[in-house]
Amino acid sequence: KGTRTNAKQGSVTDVPIILRRFLRTYENHCAQARSSVSPTIKQSTLRCIENEKIMTKITLAFPEYKAADAPPKSLQPLLMTIRDERYMLGKQLCVWDVTLNNQDIADLSIILEKRGRTVYPFTHLELLDCGLDVWSMERLGKAVNLSSLTSLNLDYNTFGEEGVQGLLHGLAGNNQVVSLSLCYCHLGPGSGSLLAALVTKSAI
């Protein structure tokens, strides 16, 4: 039999069963949203099912080159799947080269925040080249202090100094986040003082 673990509060279920249901729900949401299924999610889920291991790292990524008529890339089906399945076994959430709008960030922030009866204990968030704007950075900043995050990687997002200011406002006084990466984010000289202040007032 597969490894048994708590998938939902108060229940014990086989890991392969949880993951098969997770993948089926994800593919259904992709079909309903007319968006592409992430091959990395499908492959990692199937691999964990085969090895009867918990899937703690969820990576939403797509091939660099795709057909012109391929469905668009979207974060929403994944977020809906995590909520619908109450998947609380994930620790790392990575999104690579998927443009995220304000609604995506708002919904992601709600999942990260430790509110209500269901808590999704992600400790590492990686949003690489996702087109994050100033509003998104401010919303993420508010969510960080209410989350389980200890590591945040926002490389290759061109939000500039104004965007980083919103994020750092949320991180001020945070003693939980110990790693922050903001490479290639169009930060100017003015960001230096902001980041220096953050280092002195947080665990980073």
Side-chain angles (χ1 to χ4, degrees):
K1 294 184 178 180
T3 304
R4 302 178 74 86
T5 187
N6 287 320
K8 299 180 180 179
Q9 293 178 346
S11 67
V12 179
T13 316
D14 285 336
V15 167
I17 294 175
I18 297 170
L19 295 179
R20 288 191 189 97
R21 190 169 59 227
F22 182 95
L23 181 57
R24 182 170 60 250
T25 300
Y26 172 64
E27 291 178 331
N28 287 340
H29 279 310
C30 286
Q32 292 169 7
R34 297 182 179 179
S35 64
S36 296
V37 172
S38 168
T40 56
I41 289 181
K42 186 170 185 176
Q43 291 165 8
S44 60
T45 305
L46 292 175
R47 185 164 54 249
C48 287
I49 290 172
E50 181 180 358
N51 296 326
E52 298 185 346
K53 291 184 177 180
I54 299 170
M55 183 172 65
T56 58
K57 183 176 182 179
I58 303 174
T59 301
L60 182 71
F62 298 86
E64 184 175 357
Y65 301 102
K66 64 176 184 177
D69 58 347
K73 301 179 288 187
S74 176
L75 173 64
Q76 284 296 332
L78 176 59
L79 297 181
M80 294 171 68
T81 300
I82 292 172
R83 286 197 303 265
D84 289 354
E85 294 301 322
R86 294 180 63 196
Y87 191 78
M88 294 179 281
L89 303 175
K91 298 296 183 182
Q92 301 179 62
L93 180 58
C94 305
V95 183
W96 299 344
D97 191 24
V98 178
T99 300
L100 304 181
N101 58 36
N102 290 347
Q103 188 61 56
D104 292 329
I105 295 299
D107 292 341
L108 172 61
S109 296
I110 290 172
I111 281 182
L112 294 174
E113 293 170 347
K114 295 185 289 187
R115 293 178 175 179
R117 294 182 301 173
T118 305
V119 175
Y120 302 97
F122 289 105
T123 57
H124 175 81
L125 178 64
E126 193 170 287
L127 305 178
L128 303 185
D129 195 13
C130 293
L132 302 182
D133 60 13
V134 174
W135 186 92
S136 296
M137 295 299 290
E138 292 177 349
R139 183 64 184 91
L140 278 176
K142 294 177 181 177
V144 167
N145 275 337
L146 299 174
S147 73
S148 300
L149 292 176
T150 60
S151 176
L152 189 59
N153 186 336
L154 303 175
D155 294 350
Y156 298 98
N157 289 287
T158 57
F159 41 73
E161 292 183 17
E162 189 177 357
V164 80
Q165 189 168 7
L167 174 68
L168 299 186
H169 183 267
L171 284 173
N174 185 295
N175 293 317
Q176 182 171 283
V177 177
V178 296
S179 176
L180 173 65
S181 183
L182 301 173
C183 297
Y184 309 104
C185 292
H186 286 196
L187 304 185
S191 300
S193 58
L194 294 173
L195 293 170
L198 174 66
V199 171
T200 60
K201 297 178 181 179
S202 70
I204 296 175

